């Protein structure tokens, strides 16, 4: 369960973001940094335990998780400062033109995006692990964004609520070896 919470936090920010009609994000390699800004003491303890588990994971097990995340367009997932997660993903030209970003979230998710001036309001619902939430993405031109999401999920069989904050920034036209992203659900 701890790993599911960790993957949820790592992936939901990419599930949340899509470019508003007035903004088309630049295709290429992107970096996403996110962290749990607030949650119950149990949620924060679960996240800390998940991060410790990830840090101590045998290389072959970590590789399996990274391969699963790569299927969703996420690569180079690392623990970030302040207990967050930092990852990179490749936004294809086709996805940028369709104004979609990778889901990042394992399982089946649906996402609704409503354009607002300078960004989007976002709601999502995922079946594996069960989670839902809403929030806002604000674009800083076509090479950066910030987001804040209120997330409901499960941890140790109990309902968990948290606020996740994140930033995205464009790194390069060249995605290098990063996996090509799969679009988020609609």
């Amino acid at each position: 369960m701890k790993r599911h919470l960790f993957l949820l936090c790592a992936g939901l920010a990419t599930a949340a973001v899509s470019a508003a009609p007035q903004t088309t994000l630049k295709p290429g390699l992107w970096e996403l940094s996110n962290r749990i800004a607030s949650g119950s003491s149990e949620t924060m303890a679960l996240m800390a335990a998940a991060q410790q588990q990830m840090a101590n994971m045998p290389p072959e097990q970590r590789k399996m998780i990274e391969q699963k995340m790569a299927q969703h367009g996420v690569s180079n997932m690392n623990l970030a400062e302040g207990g967050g997660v930092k990852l990179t993903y490749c936004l294809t030209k086709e996805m940028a033109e369709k104004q979609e970003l990778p889901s990042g979230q394992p399982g089946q998710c649906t996402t609704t995006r409503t354009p607002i001036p300078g960004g989007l309001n976002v709601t999502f619902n995922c079946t594996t692990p069960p989670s839902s939430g809403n929030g806002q993405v604000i674009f800083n031109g076509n090479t950066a964004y910030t987001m804040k999401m209120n997330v409901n999920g499960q941890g140790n069989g109990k309902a968990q609520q948290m606020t996740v904050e994140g930033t995205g920034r464009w790194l390069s036209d060249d995605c290098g070896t990063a996996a090509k992203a799969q679009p988020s659900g609609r």
Side-chain angles (χ1 to χ4, degrees):
M1 184 78 255
K2 293 176 196 171
R3 185 177 60 162
H4 288 293
L5 182 62
F6 182 79
L7 292 175
L8 170 66
C9 292
L12 69 86
T14 51
V17 182
S18 178
Q22 68 272 21
T23 304
T24 299
L25 294 178
K26 221 173 160 174
L29 187 64
W30 281 75
E31 176 184 80
L32 170 68
S33 298
N34 66 34
R35 68 179 185 88
I36 297 178
S38 65
S40 69
S41 58
E42 186 174 354
T43 298
M44 300 307 280
L46 280 170
M47 188 60 186
Q51 289 178 315
Q52 186 64 43
Q53 184 180 14
M54 189 74 170
N56 296 331
M57 190 175 289
E60 60 276 357
Q61 188 178 4
R62 183 175 172 107
K63 185 174 183 174
M64 284 179 20
I65 289 175
E66 288 173 346
Q67 287 172 339
K68 280 190 174 266
M69 295 299 285
Q71 292 171 354
H72 296 273
V74 174
S75 61
N76 300 324
M77 183 174 66
N78 295 296
L79 301 180
E81 293 180 27
V85 178
K86 186 179 284 190
L87 52 90
T88 57
Y89 61 90
C90 182
L91 180 66
T92 67
K93 180 181 177 185
E94 294 77 23
M95 290 178 71
E97 288 171 354
K98 292 178 184 175
Q99 302 175 333
E100 292 185 340
L101 286 181
S103 70
Q105 174 65 29
Q108 298 296 317
C109 298
T110 56
T111 304
T112 302
R113 301 164 192 95
T114 306
I116 60 170
L120 297 168
N121 285 330
V122 179
T123 60
F124 71 93
N125 190 10
C126 299
T127 58
T128 307
S131 58
S132 62
N134 61 61
Q136 195 168 71
V137 178
I138 302 298
F139 298 104
N140 301 314
N142 66 352
T143 60
Y145 60 85
T146 59
M147 68 96 188
K148 183 174 184 177
M149 298 294 294
N150 298 308
V151 180
N152 302 301
Q154 294 284 320
N156 288 344
K158 296 181 182 176
Q160 301 288 322
Q161 294 180 329
M162 66 189 98
T163 300
V164 178
E165 295 177 346
T167 60
R169 68 183 183 111
W170 180 84
L171 299 175
S172 168
D173 285 322
D174 183 9
C175 288
T177 61
K180 299 294 186 237
Q182 299 298 312
S184 61
R186 286 204 172 228

